[in-house]
Amino acid sequence: MAHRHYVVGIAGGSASGKTSFLNQLKDNLPDGSVSIISQDNYYRPQSEQLVDENGEVNYDLPTSIDKEAFFSDLKQLLAGNPITITEYCFNREGAIPNKIIVQPAPILVVEGLFVFHYPEIRHLIDLRVYLDVREEIKLQRRIKRDRDERGYPEDAVRYQWEH
């Protein structure tokens, strides 16, 4: 039996509000009607990340994502199969990643910085939503988020932002 899902792609710059938007969306839809797959859980391990001329890792590049695993899991959900994702936490030393089980649902939301960048993923999306937020607002949100939730000093956040 063929499964039909409506695929929504949500993209936007770092700290544009994707997660807040998704939480509101999910809270306002019936239970079991939507499943969300986040690109954030597909970052390659730090040992596989590219470094810039100063030896710093830049996670804001499409090459930082394991797009093959992301695409494979997306296809599994579209085939009606649940997936198990290992939570991204490489940036938190000593953190033990959780296993996230995502069940297929009629509405499948894929979100992340690069969901429209990868052609194989972009072509599966029925509706594209791009959150366009002024740069200064995103920067202030990112400084606060990365400081409070990820323990990054402001100078490291600004370096990442500028490079």
Side-chain angles (χ1 to χ4, degrees):
M1 178 176 139
H3 299 271
R4 181 63 191 130
H5 305 271
Y6 190 76
V7 182
V8 179
I10 299 178
S14 181
S16 61
K18 295 181 296 295
T19 300
S20 297
F21 179 81
L22 283 172
N23 289 336
Q24 287 291 316
L25 180 69
K26 192 169 185 177
D27 288 348
N28 286 289
L29 291 171
D31 287 344
S33 66
V34 64
S35 54
I36 298 171
I37 183 171
S38 174
Q39 169 202 285
D40 283 356
N41 290 309
Y42 293 88
Y43 279 107
R44 296 182 187 282
Q46 271 192 321
S47 61
E48 296 177 22
Q49 293 292 339
L50 298 176
V51 294
D52 66 16
E53 65 277 358
N54 296 316
E56 298 291 331
V57 172
N58 186 348
Y59 291 97
D60 292 336
L61 297 173
T63 54
S64 66
I65 304 298
D66 183 348
K67 73 172 181 173
E68 292 79 14
F70 190 37
F71 183 53
S72 176
D73 282 354
L74 179 54
K75 289 191 305 187
Q76 285 297 312
L77 285 170
L78 291 172
N81 302 316
I83 60 169
T84 302
I85 302 170
T86 301
E87 175 189 34
Y88 168 77
C89 63
F90 302 128
N91 61 333
R92 296 189 322 258
E93 191 171 329
I96 298 171
N98 293 316
K99 295 293 185 185
I100 301 167
I101 298 171
V102 181
Q103 297 292 337
I107 301 169
L108 175 58
V109 177
V110 293
E111 71 86 16
L113 290 173
F114 307 119
V115 295
F116 303 154
H117 174 78
Y118 306 121
E120 57 270 68
I121 294 171
R122 183 176 63 240
H123 294 307
L124 296 174
I125 297 173
D126 298 304
L127 173 66
R128 296 181 191 145
V129 177
Y130 184 83
L131 301 180
D132 187 17
V133 177
R134 290 193 327 260
E135 292 296 310
E136 62 272 11
I137 292 172
K138 292 189 296 186
L139 176 58
Q140 290 308 310
R141 286 178 180 173
R142 183 161 173 178
I143 290 168
K144 182 179 180 343
R145 178 196 68 197
D146 286 3
R147 180 194 62 226
D148 296 352
E149 297 175 19
R150 300 174 182 174
Y152 294 156
E154 184 174 333
D155 60 333
V157 177
R158 286 184 179 277
Y159 179 90
Q160 184 80 22
W161 184 267
E162 292 167 8
H163 295 88

